[in-house]
Amino acid sequence: MDLQNLVTNYAGYNLSVNQQFVDWLSNKTTEQLNQESPSSFSSILKTLNHIWGMEEYWYSIICQQPDFVNRYGIEDLNADEVFQGLINRSQVLVNEIKSFSRNDLVEKIKVVSPWFEANQSRYEYIQHFVNHGTYHRGQIVTIGRSIGITDAPGTDYLFFNARKEQQ
């Protein structure tokens, strides 16, 4: 598998598992989605909103879009807005990443932010945002378990690829 196929597949995985989480969480009550539990973000909905916000941020870096709207601290959205925003951004990322050439993917992009400074290739940032989402989806599963939600979907990258092979 070449680099372009690998990162496109990885972005497709990100979209797929975000969709699985939205489908899973769409059946939960507003109270469950907002119930507080100790974690990086204090509720399932706040954590999912953070994943969306970080995808917005990384989209602005990866796709060199200067019109980035910082979503940090925006927490007064309802579940449907967060669900739709996350899926829409994840789909746009898949579409954009599919269009990148190998040269685009290895191009170094300098990032200076309040949190870090880096000069890495575009594909490394793609790996990062997917891994970052995976980390926080794991937190959502843990928050869910702590409040009695035990029916989380299995979202390992291996499972995603195995399902694709079966199709």
Side-chain angles (χ1 to χ4, degrees):
M1 183 179 286
D2 67 21
L3 181 61
Q4 209 286 332
N5 286 336
L6 180 64
V7 295
T8 298
N9 192 59
Y10 211 44
Y13 160 74
N14 183 68
L15 171 61
S16 176
V17 295
N18 282 340
Q19 185 65 62
Q20 283 181 272
F21 263 61
V22 165
D23 293 346
W24 169 54
L25 295 170
S26 293
N27 298 319
K28 307 308 177 208
T29 67
T30 300
E31 291 74 28
Q32 287 174 308
L33 295 175
N34 289 299
Q35 187 171 340
E36 297 209 351
S37 179
S39 192
S40 297
F41 299 90
S42 60
S43 73
I44 290 171
L45 191 59
K46 286 179 182 176
T47 306
L48 204 62
N49 190 38
H50 170 72
I51 296 169
W52 173 26
M54 288 299 95
E55 286 197 15
E56 292 286 348
Y57 174 74
W58 284 109
Y59 169 78
S60 75
I61 302 297
I62 293 164
C63 298
Q64 299 289 276
Q65 296 294 320
D67 60 345
F68 168 67
V69 176
N70 186 349
R71 296 192 30 73
Y72 189 77
I74 298 174
E75 296 180 353
D76 61 344
L77 299 174
N78 67 46
D80 289 336
E81 291 170 314
V82 174
F83 295 162
Q84 182 179 0
L86 176 61
I87 297 305
N88 288 345
R89 178 52 61 208
S90 296
Q91 182 63 64
V92 168
L93 279 160
V94 167
N95 296 342
E96 292 290 334
I97 291 167
K98 278 182 186 177
S99 73
F100 291 143
S101 68
R102 186 180 194 300
N103 287 341
D104 293 332
L105 292 170
V106 298
E107 177 185 5
K108 298 271 187 175
I109 300 173
K110 178 130 177 106
V111 177
V112 177
S113 79
W115 310 286
F116 70 94
E117 190 171 317
N119 188 27
Q120 297 181 4
S121 62
R122 185 177 270 119
Y123 80 86
E124 290 171 299
Y125 293 133
I126 294 167
Q127 287 179 299
H128 170 73
F129 90 76
V130 175
N131 286 337
H132 183 86
T134 299
Y135 171 80
H136 286 297
R137 283 186 298 271
Q139 289 183 316
I140 290 171
V141 171
T142 301
I143 292 170
R145 287 188 181 278
S146 76
I147 64 170
I149 302 172
T150 59
D151 61 342
T155 58
D156 286 350
Y157 184 62
L158 175 72
F159 298 156
F160 169 75
N161 285 323
R163 280 191 300 273
K164 281 179 47 180
E165 286 176 1
Q166 294 172 354
Q167 295 175 348

